[in-house]
């Protein structure tokens, strides 16, 4: 009986794999999203990107993605279900090196309220965009900067296929100040 009690006590105090340190999501990275439509649980959905959790999520998840990509048949565009105009084109550059340098050097943009757009369109390689999440009433804005690395579109049925690869950096503290790389 003593052996069993000692064994149980030792097992109770041994570390296990179930203790997990809370991991903070990444605040920068590179991702590819597309507009492939899937069907499940009675609804159609696409995958988009959620900056605050640094991962792809579906349009039926909660929280929903910050951005999804689509095509109007001619141009690619980012969309959001945000309650406000959420995109601002910061710049368009001649090559990847210039776009990357602009993205990395973009640390504190100043953007007037009337400069925001409802869609990011047209999306093209070597652009840098600013995205703002939040609602008009919450005052809880968060920002991301986005560098478009590549885009791809193809005819599709029932709609054109759209794909976008982008580098991103998220600023969750409500300011438009991004730490330097």
């Amino acid at each position: 009986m003593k052996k069993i009690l000692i064994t149980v006590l030792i097992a109770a105090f041994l570390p296990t794999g179930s203790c997990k340190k809370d991991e903070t999501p990444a605040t920068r990275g590179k991702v590819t999203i597309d507009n492939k439509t899937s069907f499940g649980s009675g609804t159609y959905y696409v995958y988009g990107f959620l900056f605050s959790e640094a991962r792809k999520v579906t349009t039926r998840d909660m929280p929903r993605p910050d951005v999804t990509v689509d095509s109007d048949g001619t141009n690619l565009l980012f969309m959001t279900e945000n309650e406000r105009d959420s995109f601002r084109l910061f710049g368009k550059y001649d090559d990847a090196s210039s776009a990357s340098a602009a993205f990395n050097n973009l640390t504190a943009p100043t953007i007037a309220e009337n400069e925001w757009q409802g869609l990011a369109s047209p999306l093209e390689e070597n652009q840098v965009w600013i995205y703002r999440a939040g609602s008009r009433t919450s005052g809880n804005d968060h920002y991301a900067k986005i560098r478009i690395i590549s885009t791809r579109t193809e005819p599709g049925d029932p709609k054109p296929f759209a794909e976008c690869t982008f580098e991103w950096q998220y600023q969750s503290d409500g300011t438009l100040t991004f730490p330097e790389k």
Side-chain angles (χ1 to χ4, degrees):
M1 184 67 160
K2 208 177 196 179
K3 263 186 179 177
I4 293 172
L5 183 57
I6 291 172
T7 304
V8 169
L9 286 173
I10 289 173
F13 289 105
L14 283 176
T16 65
S18 65
C19 291
K20 211 175 188 183
K21 194 177 191 178
D22 285 339
E23 291 186 27
T24 305
T27 57
R28 65 183 320 134
K30 185 170 100 171
V31 68
T32 300
I33 59 174
D34 61 47
N35 68 340
K36 287 182 198 166
T37 303
S38 300
F39 183 78
S41 300
T43 58
Y44 289 95
Y45 61 92
V46 297
Y47 279 87
F49 192 73
L50 181 61
F51 294 106
S52 62
E53 295 182 13
R55 65 186 183 98
K56 292 181 186 182
V57 297
T58 73
T59 51
R60 66 180 185 185
D61 288 336
M62 284 301 200
R64 287 192 162 80
D66 289 315
V67 296
T68 56
V69 68
D70 209 350
S71 173
D72 64 8
T74 305
N75 298 304
L76 266 66
L77 51 116
F78 277 146
M79 299 182 304
T80 186
E81 291 185 24
N82 211 340
E83 299 173 359
R84 65 195 320 184
D85 292 341
S86 298
F87 299 98
R88 166 69 160 78
L89 179 61
F90 182 76
K92 185 177 175 179
Y93 304 91
D94 292 333
D95 54 51
S97 177
S98 299
S100 183
F103 178 84
N104 291 330
N105 292 330
L106 177 58
T107 56
T110 303
I111 303 172
E113 185 60 35
N114 65 350
E115 294 179 314
W116 294 100
Q117 303 170 208
L119 301 170
S121 178
L123 290 180
E124 298 172 357
E125 291 179 9
N126 304 320
Q127 290 176 328
V128 175
W129 289 85
I130 305 291
Y131 168 78
R132 102 177 137 175
S135 71
R136 292 179 188 173
T137 57
S138 74
N140 190 18
D141 291 339
H142 303 289
Y143 298 90
K145 61 181 180 177
I146 302 166
R147 178 176 68 94
I148 307 300
I149 297 171
S150 65
T151 61
R152 185 170 66 110
T153 188
E154 298 172 359
D157 185 27
K159 63 181 182 177
F161 173 76
E163 179 183 86
C164 182
T165 300
F166 58 94
E167 179 180 13
W168 60 274
Q169 183 177 5
Y170 179 65
Q171 179 54 286
S172 64
D173 71 4
T175 70
L176 257 169
T177 303
F178 297 95
E180 290 186 47
K181 195 172 189 180

